[in-house]
Amino acid sequence: MTIASIRRHLPALGLILLLACSVRIVWISFVRPDPTDGRFDDTVWYRGAAHFLSLGEGYVNPFTGTPTAGWPPGYPAFLGGVFKLFGEGTWQTSGANVALAAATIAVVYAIGALLFERRTAIIAAAALAVWPGQVYFSSLTLSEPLFTFLFALCVLLLLLVPGVGAWRGAVVLAFGLAVAAATLTRGQAVVLLPLAAVAWRMSGASWREALGWGFVTSVVLALALTPWVIRNERLLGSPVIISTNVGANLWFGHHEGATGRMDPFDPPRADRALAQPAYEVESDKKAMRKGLAYIVTHPIDEIRLSGAKVRALYEADSTALDWNSRYSDEFYGPPSVAAWLRGLANGYWFAALVLAGAGLAASRTHLRGAIGVLPLTVLAWTAMHILFFGDSRFHYPIVFTFALLGARGLVVLVEAVRRPEASLDRRYAAA
């Protein structure tokens, strides 16, 4: 993708970004959930933690006022910065989400142009611009929009590394910093380290080169995490690397009676006599020990749970509706409105999956190259969540991979209609 080709792309990309912003602004004009409306979920934590950060009081538990690592600090810090600059409220949060969505679509457009060509890039970006399950998240105080932008940016940077020549060192450094930012937002981003090494080898680099670039990335990540770890040792009395909810999340997926999903059981807790933040740290360790013990002692059950987690991860794309409404269909007016919105999101999702399957089949002879990073990302992300538990919310950050493969599938299918006599490989090349 040359500078000249990028310039040719800008008008189409600009229209797509305008569409993406317009759709989301319409949504948040009518759907405005407020974390201060009495609900008790992740949005309350994020809003409260960001509030204290914006006031310069540090990362503290919004319910106890004590130092915390209950969730990774990336999104609260980002949202705290938004509050500091623009004021605190739901409009500021949603506005940041709209900006992040636009930035993500621009990155996905670049990935599509890099891996395929202009038509596929346009269709993938346009699909994300109006993707119902993505639009519904724009009104929520959740980390998904920020994390998805960072994750997609990491994928773009890792794809650029093998071919940038003299700029390779700078791009590897940028990739490492992007991985660090993503990891401090959602710990699952560490999956990018092995993913990158394999992707670089698939793109033509030697294993020595791929592992060398991976080592540099790991060093950058470690250096970026060091201040957070030191802070946790100083304020929490434990060198927490990412957050203190890792143990509970592991336990939810591995315990007696586990379903493979978030369930109503409370994870193991430390002695209630402990004061915060020691109680938070020890509860995390206890849940981690019990979850790991269950994995070791129930290997057969783990097979059943793995299947349940994969199903939960991909079975629907309408979960943001429930987060917006607190599981009340009346939030949207007559229940028929919620049913229509849910059907729209899930219908779009399953149609995209079918087209992504077609795109994957059409690309099968190219999967050993850079294009293979797309299905590889899906596999790595799925494996990460088998380790914990499944929820349809968790596939949000990799929807862009399905958009790219689905766009490719649509382009090749259209080409098949136009040129039915051509072989699949010729259609792929023409597309």
Side-chain angles (χ1 to χ4, degrees):
M1 187 167 56
T2 64
I3 297 297
S5 68
I6 291 174
R7 288 174 179 168
R8 290 197 300 271
H9 294 181
L10 289 179
L13 179 58
L15 289 174
I16 291 169
L17 295 180
L18 178 62
L19 174 63
C21 293
S22 299
V23 170
R24 285 160 177 79
I25 289 170
V26 169
W27 173 259
I28 63 179
S29 296
F30 293 96
V31 180
R32 296 184 61 197
D34 188 345
T36 65
D37 63 8
R39 64 182 62 209
F40 188 76
D41 57 21
D42 294 8
T43 66
V44 181
W45 175 281
Y46 284 133
R47 172 67 176 271
H51 165 77
F52 288 108
L53 281 165
S54 71
L55 296 178
E57 297 184 20
Y59 189 29
V60 298
N61 184 318
F63 307 116
T64 65
T66 54
T68 187
W71 269 262
Y75 181 62
F78 169 81
L79 189 58
V82 171
F83 289 169
K84 184 74 172 179
L85 291 173
F86 303 106
E88 183 173 338
T90 56
W91 280 112
Q92 288 85 344
T93 302
S94 298
N97 288 343
V98 172
L100 288 167
T104 301
I105 291 167
V107 169
V108 172
Y109 190 98
I111 294 172
L114 189 65
L115 289 180
F116 301 107
E117 38 62 63
R118 186 172 182 269
R119 277 188 296 171
T120 300
I122 289 173
I123 293 172
L128 280 176
V130 297
W131 198 292
Q134 301 273 298
V135 173
Y136 298 166
F137 264 95
S138 59
S139 51
L140 289 166
T141 309
L142 290 173
S143 62
E144 271 74 8
L146 174 62
F147 181 75
T148 301
F149 165 68
L150 292 171
F151 195 86
L153 179 62
C154 288
V155 172
L156 174 61
L157 290 170
L158 76 84
L159 288 170
L160 289 173
V161 167
V164 291
W167 290 94
R168 182 170 296 132
V171 177
V172 171
L173 176 60
F175 174 67
L177 292 172
V179 171
T183 301
L184 284 168
T185 303
R186 296 271 293 273
Q188 294 95 323
V190 295
V191 76
L192 286 159
L193 294 178
L195 175 66
V198 175
W200 289 328
R201 180 67 183 92
M202 292 167 61
S203 298
S206 67
W207 274 117
R208 182 177 180 178
E209 290 174 317
L211 293 176
W213 301 336
F215 175 76
V216 173
T217 302
S218 300
V219 171
V220 173
L221 174 61
L223 291 174
L225 289 176
T226 297
W228 172 244
V229 174
I230 293 173
R231 174 263 185 194
N232 292 336
E233 176 64 44
R234 180 170 58 87
L235 297 181
L236 277 67
S238 177
V240 176
I241 297 175
I242 303 295
S243 67
T244 54
N245 66 357
V246 177
N249 286 334
L250 179 76
W251 181 87
F252 275 123
H254 309 277
H255 66 88
E256 193 68 41
T259 63
R261 306 165 182 262
M262 171 70 83
D263 54 43
F265 302 106
D266 285 330
R269 302 291 185 185
D271 187 341
R272 295 284 180 180
L274 285 175
Q276 292 284 14
Y279 176 77
E280 176 185 309
V281 172
E282 292 306 315
S283 293
D284 175 59
K285 292 178 180 179
K286 185 174 183 178
M288 177 73 73
R289 288 194 300 269
K290 288 188 173 294
L292 291 174
Y294 189 86
I295 293 173
V296 173
T297 56
H298 295 77
I300 302 301
D301 199 32
E302 287 297 310
I303 298 174
R304 174 189 64 82
L305 287 171
S306 295
K309 292 170 187 177
V310 173
R311 177 177 177 176
L313 189 58
Y314 297 111
E315 67 184 359
D317 199 41
S318 57
T319 184
L321 291 174
D322 298 320
W323 282 87
N324 277 291
S325 68
R326 290 193 291 171
Y327 292 86
S328 171
D329 287 343
E330 285 75 18
F331 179 85
Y332 302 100
S336 59
V337 175
W340 184 85
L341 290 170
R342 198 176 303 278
L344 177 65
N346 291 333
Y348 197 101
W349 168 241
F350 289 115
L353 289 183
V354 171
L355 287 173
L360 188 64
S363 306
R364 67 185 186 279
T365 59
H366 304 267
L367 293 180
R368 291 189 177 182
I371 293 172
V373 75
L374 298 178
L376 190 64
T377 297
V378 174
L379 290 174
W381 191 253
T382 303
M384 172 64 71
H385 287 84
I386 287 176
L387 181 61
F388 296 98
F389 66 94
D391 189 286
S392 56
R393 170 189 170 192
F394 297 155
H395 73 241
Y396 180 101
I398 61 164
V399 161
F400 74 90
T401 63
F402 296 106
L404 287 162
L405 288 171
R408 194 58 186 168
L410 182 60
V411 168
V412 172
L413 288 173
V414 169
E415 195 66 25
V417 173
R418 291 178 56 197
R419 303 175 60 196
E421 75 285 353
S423 67
L424 181 59
D425 284 342
R426 289 176 62 192
R427 291 173 196 155
Y428 183 95

